[in-house]
Amino acid sequence: MTDYEAIGDQIIAWALVGSDVTDEPVKGWALGSFTTAISIAGAYLAFVLVGSLIMRAYPGDGIKLYGVAFLYNIAQVMLCSYMCIEAVIVAKRSNFNLVCNSYDAKHPPMANVLWLFYASKVLDFVDTFFIVIGKKWKQLSFLHVYHHTTIFLFYWLNLHVNYDGDIYLTIVLNGAIHTIMYTYYFVSMHTRDIWWKKYLTLAQLVQFTCMNAQAIYMFVTGCSATPPRVTAIYFVYIISLFILFLQFFMSSYVPKKKKQ
């Protein structure tokens, strides 16, 4: 066992304290090892650093891969909408409520959808590839890199300790938001002014609010079998995203008062 795998096991063991859940149902799944996850995240951050340095030195306005971006955005719309719909179907088939759902730690019905959701976060890194090679430096913000890196690593943890029950709502909400987001990216390839752009960010803020309302209810009532530590750090993490997205919304769409 590598040092990274030992660290991953310690993280999982810490997250499962106070819970009857185990990671047995998902052991050995593709992309599931901590070594793989941390290597992918490290490669992503290395690309952001090295790729940015190379493209800043590269003359011109950047590289535009119109055909690749065209197909990528269509594929993402299809994938995200599928995950959203599939999560709803599995939840309905399992008689899930809006919150406080049963957790099957032996034969989890939501695990396959969650794995696909986790794997899709690797595909989301292509967003940054287009930003870097296109020299769209304004879009390469701390929010962008932080969001992409941490959401991938957080869902590595979810794959091991939070693969059923109330996790379905996250897939539904995020899948729906990403469907709209990649539709926006596709439309923006062909037109500059999109009147509903700011409402996409508002929808993301609503998404985070719904996620944390769920987390608060679960944590306070103890009605869910989801490991309590995971619910707690999930809450803190979503708060960080809410603050960063709110800051982006305020700076981008709220007019600033002119100094007298």
Side-chain angles (χ1 to χ4, degrees):
M1 182 182 292
T2 65
D3 291 339
Y4 282 129
E5 287 309 302
I7 293 171
D9 287 344
Q10 291 174 4
I11 294 171
I12 292 169
W14 177 87
L16 290 175
V17 169
S19 169
D20 296 329
V21 176
T22 73
D23 68 334
E24 287 298 325
V26 297
K27 275 191 174 179
W29 284 26
L31 304 178
S33 74
F34 188 65
T35 302
T36 300
I38 205 70
S39 297
I40 291 173
Y44 169 72
L45 293 174
F47 169 77
V48 171
L49 177 61
V50 177
S52 297
L53 292 174
I54 292 173
M55 290 309 298
R56 287 182 186 277
Y58 183 84
D61 296 329
I63 302 169
K64 306 293 189 287
L65 299 176
Y66 175 82
V68 177
F70 184 95
L71 294 174
Y72 170 74
N73 288 320
I74 291 176
Q76 282 281 35
V77 169
M78 294 173 65
L79 175 60
C80 294
S81 58
Y82 167 76
M83 291 187 295
C84 177
I85 295 169
E86 183 66 15
V88 170
I89 291 172
V90 173
K92 187 174 181 181
R93 188 186 301 146
S94 304
N95 296 317
F96 281 3
N97 301 310
L98 185 62
V99 70
C100 296
N101 292 291
S102 59
Y103 196 115
D104 190 339
K106 292 185 177 179
H107 304 288
M110 197 61 65
N112 288 331
V113 185
L114 178 65
W115 178 87
L116 181 60
F117 187 79
Y118 162 64
S120 75
K121 297 308 170 189
V122 180
L123 184 61
D124 288 352
F125 289 150
V126 178
D127 295 351
T128 310
F129 171 75
F130 288 130
I131 289 173
V132 171
I133 67 167
K135 292 188 172 184
K136 300 174 182 178
W137 305 125
K138 188 177 179 181
Q139 296 180 28
L140 193 66
S141 61
F142 171 79
L143 167 59
H144 178 88
V145 177
Y146 171 79
H147 181 212
H148 277 68
T149 307
T150 54
I151 198 75
F152 170 71
L153 292 174
F154 201 100
Y155 274 87
W156 168 83
L157 181 63
N158 277 335
L159 177 66
H160 287 274
V161 302
N162 194 18
Y163 43 77
D164 198 36
D166 288 291
I167 192 66
Y168 90 94
L169 187 62
T170 296
I171 303 172
V172 172
L173 291 173
N174 196 255
I177 290 295
H178 275 69
T179 300
I180 300 170
M181 184 182 76
Y182 284 107
T183 301
Y184 164 78
Y185 288 160
F186 180 79
V187 173
S188 68
M189 294 175 65
H190 310 98
T191 183
R192 178 173 295 181
D193 297 320
I194 303 175
W195 65 269
W196 49 271
K197 180 180 178 181
K198 69 177 181 179
Y199 297 106
L200 175 57
T201 306
L202 277 176
Q204 289 170 318
L205 292 171
V206 171
Q207 170 198 202
F208 298 142
T209 301
C210 292
M211 289 176 175
N212 264 351
Q214 179 199 40
I216 291 171
Y217 190 84
M218 289 164 57
F219 197 75
V220 171
T221 63
C223 67
S224 175
T226 300
R229 286 187 173 182
V230 177
T231 303
I233 60 173
Y234 170 86
F235 174 80
V236 174
Y237 174 61
I238 297 300
I239 283 289
S240 74
L241 290 180
F242 183 89
I243 292 171
L244 289 170
F245 272 83
L246 180 61
Q247 184 182 41
F248 169 76
F249 181 85
M250 297 293 289
S251 63
S252 300
Y253 304 116
V254 177
K256 297 178 181 178
K257 292 183 179 179
K258 293 182 180 179
K259 292 183 179 180
Q260 301 243 344

